Amino acid sequence: MYREAFGLIYAGEDAAALRELVDQRTVGALPIGGKYRVIDFPLSNMVNSDIRKVGVITSRNYNSLMDHLSSGKAWDLSRKSDGLFIFTPYSLRETPGVFRGKVEALKSCMGYIRRAKQEYCVMTETSFVFNINFDEMMRSHCESGADLTILYHKAEPVHGDGDQFHEVFLDVGEDGRVRGIEVDPMLPTLSARSMKTYIVRKDVLIYLVDDSFAKGEFKFSENLLRNNIDRIKMMAFEHKGYVGTMRSVASYFRVNMDLLDPKIRGELFTSKNRIYTKVKDSVPAKYTKSAAVKNSLVANGCIIEGRVENSVLFRDVHVGKDAVIRNSIILANTDVAEEADLEYAILDKNVNVRQRRRLVGNSEFPMVIRKGGLV
Amino acid sequence: MRRKKKTVAMLLAGGQGSRLGVLTALRAKPAVTYGGKYRIIDFPLSNCTHSGIDTVGVLTQYRPLELNTYIGTGGAWDLDTMSGGAYVLPPFVKGDSGEWYSGTANAIYQNVGFIEQFDPDNLLVLSGDHIYKMNYKWMIAAHEEKGADATIAVIPVPIEEASRFGIMDTDEELRILEFEEKPEEPKSNLASMGVYVFKWETVKKYLREDKLDPDSDNDFGKNIIPAMLEGGEKLYAYEFGGYWKDVGTIQSLWEANMELLTTAPPFNLYDGPWRIFSQNLNDPPHFVDSEATIENSIICEGCAIYGTVENSILSSGVTVERNALVKDSIIMSDTTVESDARVVMSIVDEEVRVGKGASVGEEQAYELAEKQITVVGKGARIEEGAIIEAGKEVPYVS
């Protein structure tokens, strides 16, 4: 990259609108696209940008995430020096208990930040699915003389829908400078939607976090960013590619469906920036004589005997004879028995759908069957 | 001195496999693809891991590049442990002379130093030519229980086919009385699987003597085993009851792959505890277009299917374009079958491009004993509209 940087991924988002899907996992650990987890995107983005030291901050429900990250080997982050670091709450006397905000989370890994050899920090979250090489953003950050650069994309202003997703919009001037910040607006007037991804010099980050924490202000966007808007030079950098958001069950469904679009799939998975994930030793997928699959993504280990349309099948899914799966997302190790009929359904891992069961949801309200469910 | 190991495995992976024609023109036989995502060597390596053997020397000689890259540090098979590992052992220069491996026994002989480092009780000799799942642990246990000097894994074959194999004549206790390489009139139907367990101290002596014999072919089957029988050593057969397949010819490679597509495959890859490990690529799940038809096939990740695929096995990254047909065929990684092209009864190697409207191979009845299987070499370009007849071999392009 243009300048040496270390990475920080905040994986402690609260995502109540993802309901059952985040009962036993964090947003970052959500399975996506047939074989990935959402955190594979920020991790791969960093690795593809030559970032070799990445810290992941967790706050709750992180077992599944830890299982996935393991030593970081799948992203080449199991190194002698640097590599992957995982931070959990309750770790310091200064920051006891569950984090009251991202500022406190950052405070809790101050040692990691201080010790980093790299001059810059690339900071992101796990709610957004996109593929980027941070090089260009870093170049823009350095050349504009910014203290902090925020990544954003152009989004149609939509009304707040009570999803409790923390939406942040930026007022970006013609010179690219951030002039104002709107957090969770009921009626957004701005179209520059923050992707909560930042580049900031290490010493500036340390100062901002210490300063905000000392004042008892723990929220990153509302407090730290907004309070410093006139004190530091805050620039915005536009991401022109695809951005998927993990804000609710409906949007989780939509992002997975978006991957059936060859343009989006190509941008995310087959561009020169590959997305890495922990790979399992599954057998290739097998189609029997009665299989009929249309417009779908199918991972290894699946055995398909029935009909599948407009759907995403994760690893080791079994689709019984004469079963019909339409517009659905079927997570790993799930069994859909003969003649079952699914439409607009999200089946979590290890679900069993018995013979002739019928589950029908709606594109805005897909039916979710929780992990291990028996239908 | 390293830590002592009870058993060291030596995997003979130097064979050319010349009967596989263009498929082994650029790679050694153990690196040949099977079942979409596997290579033949995945089977003995995974067997070692599951059998608790963590020290495996892989003897390479012929076209080792692809194999060396594939094996790496052995991490894919969980062999990259602190005290064990997968060691690639090519022939090397000793003093002012160097020599090739002149035979299977000679390959082991030249690596006595490697084996001695681990001071093993047993030497397990494997070949990288066969598809099978076997727990070597039980075989070694039988070997030790009988106090044998050598134990040879055998599999019963139909007596009429026995003359194609190395045949063991045994007594009731399975002690080997005689070993015949491809006998015209076989005395039994127990064929050697190319899996041997030796008492290291004993076999070391025979390897040295064999080296001094200028008339020897330096081969385990032809020389070492007969010499040990002659020397009155205790040799036992160990009967294996599972699936074992030699994929040494185009015909048998095609058949072994097609067997995976039968309703109840004789060889089960979906075996949870005995997973076959392989290098896993970072490919996205495969995509099936709304115009595509896939029937009775095995498809790997990274494929994109827009046309028709029937009774076929596709490795990763294969693209089948609109209106193209792939039938009764094996397509290896990163090959593209362009629109309106047909690939039937063929084995197509990696990175091939079958041009628009081209036709490769011809449809034949499954029952035919000698099918005319068309083979396309790695990197070949089949011109638009070209016709490649049944049984033809298209050379590789490097």
Side-chain angles (χ1 to χ4, degrees):
Chain A
M1 192 149 67
Y2 184 70
R3 290 283 188 277
E4 291 284 302
F6 67 98
L8 261 178
I9 300 173
Y10 179 69
E13 298 106 322
D14 181 21
L18 282 156
R19 304 199 320 255
E20 301 93 325
L21 295 172
V22 291
D23 267 359
Q24 295 179 49
R25 53 170 83 92
T26 60
V27 180
L30 274 172
I32 179 174
K35 70 182 279 193
Y36 303 92
R37 304 272 187 159
V38 173
I39 199 164
D40 293 337
F41 287 88
L43 274 176
S44 303
N45 284 339
M46 290 193 171
V47 171
N48 287 332
S49 309
D50 291 331
I51 295 172
R52 295 283 172 256
K53 174 175 177 145
V54 180
V56 176
I57 306 173
T58 63
S59 97
R60 55 173 83 77
N61 239 346
Y62 46 74
N63 259 359
S64 154
L65 188 74
M66 299 267 225
D67 273 357
H68 181 64
L69 294 176
S70 187
S71 67
K73 199 173 169 185
W75 302 269
D76 226 355
L77 287 173
S78 174
R79 315 297 339 155
K80 282 201 170 178
S81 61
D82 289 348
L84 181 71
F85 295 77
I86 298 175
F87 302 101
T88 54
Y90 302 97
S91 59
L92 290 180
R93 201 180 306 149
E94 288 170 292
T95 58
V98 173
F99 303 132
R100 284 166 286 182
K102 204 158 104 182
V103 171
E104 189 168 41
L106 289 168
K107 181 77 184 172
S108 78
C109 61
M110 210 40 118
Y112 163 84
I113 298 172
R114 279 187 211 281
R115 276 193 302 273
K117 300 187 288 282
Q118 296 81 356
E119 192 183 356
Y120 289 88
C121 175
V122 175
M123 211 161 65
T124 187
E125 297 197 356
T126 60
S127 295
F128 300 94
V129 172
F130 60 101
N131 187 326
I132 195 175
N133 185 317
F134 289 114
D135 196 42
E136 209 190 324
M137 182 177 171
M138 177 65 87
R139 200 177 282 269
S140 157
H141 176 79
C142 294
E143 281 169 3
S144 65
D147 294 304
L148 186 138
T149 299
I150 307 174
L151 189 69
Y152 75 96
H153 73 117
K154 289 253 171 65
E156 287 293 314
V158 284
H159 291 243
D161 56 3
D163 273 353
Q164 297 159 319
F165 183 80
H166 209 55
E167 290 286 4
V168 177
F169 288 91
L170 307 175
D171 180 4
V172 183
E174 274 181 19
D175 55 355
R177 192 160 173 168
V178 178
R179 293 182 306 201
I181 293 171
E182 269 183 12
V183 178
D184 286 332
M186 272 309 285
L187 295 164
T189 54
L190 304 166
S191 63
R193 181 170 176 250
S194 167
M195 291 160 71
K196 299 181 192 168
T197 299
Y198 316 92
I199 289 182
V200 56
R201 220 172 60 224
K202 179 182 128 175
D203 51 1
V204 174
L205 177 68
I206 292 171
Y207 168 76
L208 292 174
V209 170
D210 273 343
D211 180 58
S212 198
F213 188 77
K215 292 173 183 157
E217 293 168 338
F218 304 122
K219 305 273 183 232
F220 195 81
S221 299
E222 293 95 315
N223 303 141
L224 187 147
L225 290 182
R226 198 184 269 150
N227 293 347
N228 288 295
I229 211 156
D230 297 318
R231 295 173 68 200
I232 62 170
K233 189 172 179 188
M234 225 177 270
M235 299 294 286
F237 182 84
E238 189 185 353
H239 175 66
K240 297 201 168 74
Y242 174 82
V243 180
T245 312
M246 296 291 135
R247 57 178 287 165
S248 63
V249 170
S251 65
Y252 171 77
F253 181 78
R254 213 172 307 125
V255 173
N256 275 285
M257 288 299 157
D258 281 348
L259 298 177
L260 294 175
D261 179 334
K263 205 174 140 262
I264 294 172
R265 197 172 59 248
E267 182 192 322
L268 289 184
F269 296 124
T270 49
S271 75
K272 64 178 191 298
N273 300 322
R274 298 303 292 253
I275 302 301
Y276 302 100
T277 188
K278 190 166 92 181
V279 187
K280 299 273 170 70
D281 282 275
S282 288
V283 184
K286 186 168 180 181
Y287 292 72
T288 65
K289 287 197 174 72
S290 54
V293 179
K294 304 281 180 201
N295 194 37
S296 296
L297 282 169
V298 180
N300 274 352
C302 288
I303 300 181
I304 305 179
E305 302 179 66
R307 265 175 65 195
V308 180
E309 280 172 31
N310 310 322
S311 296
V312 179
L313 268 53
F314 285 69
R315 149 183 86 68
D316 300 341
V317 167
H318 173 241
V319 182
K321 222 173 165 192
D322 298 316
V324 180
I325 298 178
R326 275 172 298 189
N327 305 307
S328 294
I329 297 162
I330 317 290
L331 270 52
N333 279 314
T334 282
D335 187 5
V336 179
E338 291 84 45
E339 295 176 58
D341 187 354
L342 312 181
E343 196 166 358
Y344 293 109
I346 299 174
L347 307 188
D348 208 323
K349 289 169 87 170
N350 307 321
V351 165
N352 268 293
V353 179
R354 290 184 177 154
Q355 289 181 18
R356 288 189 288 282
R357 291 288 193 271
R358 197 169 139 78
L359 302 177
V360 182
N362 167 292
S363 66
E364 289 308 309
F365 206 85
M367 177 175 278
V368 180
I369 306 296
R370 68 171 65 227
K371 197 167 169 178
L374 186 63
V375 183
Chain B
M1 192 85 179
R2 283 171 212 249
R3 205 149 61 94
K4 180 175 168 66
K5 296 276 172 189
K6 194 175 128 190
T7 304
V8 168
M10 294 295 266
L11 207 165
L12 302 161
Q16 180 176 358
S18 54
R19 287 175 302 159
L20 284 169
V22 72
L23 296 179
T24 48
L26 294 173
R27 61 171 81 81
K29 182 174 163 190
V32 168
T33 304
Y34 165 83
K37 74 177 276 197
Y38 305 98
R39 291 175 188 256
I40 300 172
I41 199 167
D42 289 332
F43 294 87
L45 285 177
S46 300
N47 286 342
C48 280
T49 305
H50 291 307
S51 306
I53 294 165
D54 66 1
T55 309
V56 185
V58 183
L59 299 151
T60 62
Q61 173 156 289
Y62 172 78
R63 292 271 180 194
L65 188 62
E66 206 170 296
L67 200 56
N68 292 354
T69 313
Y70 187 69
I71 294 168
T73 58
W77 304 271
D78 222 3
L79 289 169
D80 56 342
T81 59
M82 276 204 278
S83 63
Y87 302 83
V88 176
L89 304 168
F92 55 95
V93 175
K94 305 147 195 87
D96 52 4
S97 72
E99 53 180 319
W100 295 105
Y101 296 148
S102 59
T104 51
N106 181 257
I108 306 285
Y109 172 79
Q110 289 200 38
N111 286 287
V112 164
F114 167 78
I115 299 165
E116 292 274 77
Q117 296 178 88
F118 303 101
D119 185 24
D121 299 332
N122 308 310
L123 173 72
L124 174 67
V125 177
L126 305 168
S127 76
D129 297 346
H130 307 116
I131 307 292
Y132 65 113
K133 291 186 291 194
M134 179 176 183
N135 196 334
Y136 305 131
K137 209 190 282 174
W138 307 135
M139 180 177 172
I140 293 166
H143 171 81
E144 289 181 337
E145 200 172 298
K146 288 183 170 163
D149 294 296
T151 301
I152 302 173
V154 293
I155 189 160
V157 294
I159 191 85
E160 59 274 17
E161 286 178 34
S163 52
R164 284 172 42 212
F165 299 92
I167 295 295
M168 310 290 152
D169 187 18
T170 65
D171 68 10
E172 277 171 14
E173 301 284 294
L174 284 177
R175 182 158 177 176
I176 299 168
L177 305 171
E178 202 183 341
F179 172 83
E180 288 180 293
E181 187 70 65
K182 295 178 184 152
E184 274 178 30
E185 283 178 25
K187 290 185 184 136
S188 93
N189 69 336
L190 295 178
S192 166
M193 295 165 62
V195 176
Y196 309 90
V197 181
F198 293 104
K199 193 182 273 175
W200 174 236
E201 285 308 317
T202 314
V203 77
K204 202 161 64 178
K205 196 176 80 200
Y206 283 92
L207 288 170
R208 288 219 176 93
E209 284 168 10
D210 177 68
K211 167 72 181 165
L212 296 173
D213 178 2
D215 296 329
S216 172
D217 287 331
N218 309 122
D219 186 81
F220 272 102
K222 276 187 216 151
N223 308 105
I224 301 291
I225 302 297
M228 287 180 83
L229 282 170
E230 190 118 321
E233 308 292 353
K234 282 166 80 180
L235 276 73
Y236 282 91
Y238 174 82
E239 208 174 321
F240 176 71
Y243 179 95
W244 177 84
K245 186 103 179 173
D246 180 24
V247 287
T249 62
I250 295 291
Q251 192 84 23
S252 63
L253 180 67
W254 184 87
E255 274 169 15
N257 273 285
M258 290 301 148
E259 273 176 5
L260 293 172
L261 296 176
T262 52
T263 321
F267 188 60
N268 180 16
L269 286 169
Y270 296 82
D271 182 348
W274 207 274
R275 265 288 145 89
I276 302 304
F277 302 128
S278 65
Q279 288 283 7
N280 288 297
L281 303 163
N282 244 297
D283 281 319
H286 68 261
F287 174 69
V288 187
D289 185 66
S290 41
E291 305 284 310
T293 309
I294 303 175
E295 251 181 50
N296 199 40
S297 294
I298 286 175
I299 315 275
C300 283
E301 292 182 334
C303 288
I305 315 296
Y306 299 89
T308 302
V309 179
E310 282 173 38
N311 304 320
S312 295
I313 295 183
L314 272 55
S315 294
S316 64
V318 171
T319 305
V320 178
E321 294 184 356
R322 286 252 153 88
N323 285 322
L325 169 72
V326 174
K327 196 176 174 192
D328 305 330
S329 295
I330 298 159
I331 315 281
M332 296 183 192
S333 302
D334 302 321
T335 282
T336 300
V337 179
E338 293 184 1
S339 54
D340 302 306
R342 286 166 50 88
V343 177
V344 182
M345 198 62 86
S346 301
I347 301 178
V348 181
D349 207 328
E350 297 168 10
E351 296 162 30
V352 169
R353 235 190 146 80
V354 178
K356 285 190 177 63
S359 170
V360 177
E362 276 164 36
E363 204 154 339
Q364 290 152 67
Y366 265 60
E367 299 73 39
L368 267 180
E370 291 299 314
K371 286 173 277 286
Q372 298 287 303
I373 296 162
T374 312
V375 185
V376 182
K378 187 172 173 175
R381 295 280 172 275
I382 310 286
E383 296 293 319
E384 217 171 282
I387 294 173
I388 310 294
E389 287 165 26
K392 278 266 153 48
E393 190 181 81
V394 179
Y396 68 85
V397 175
S398 59

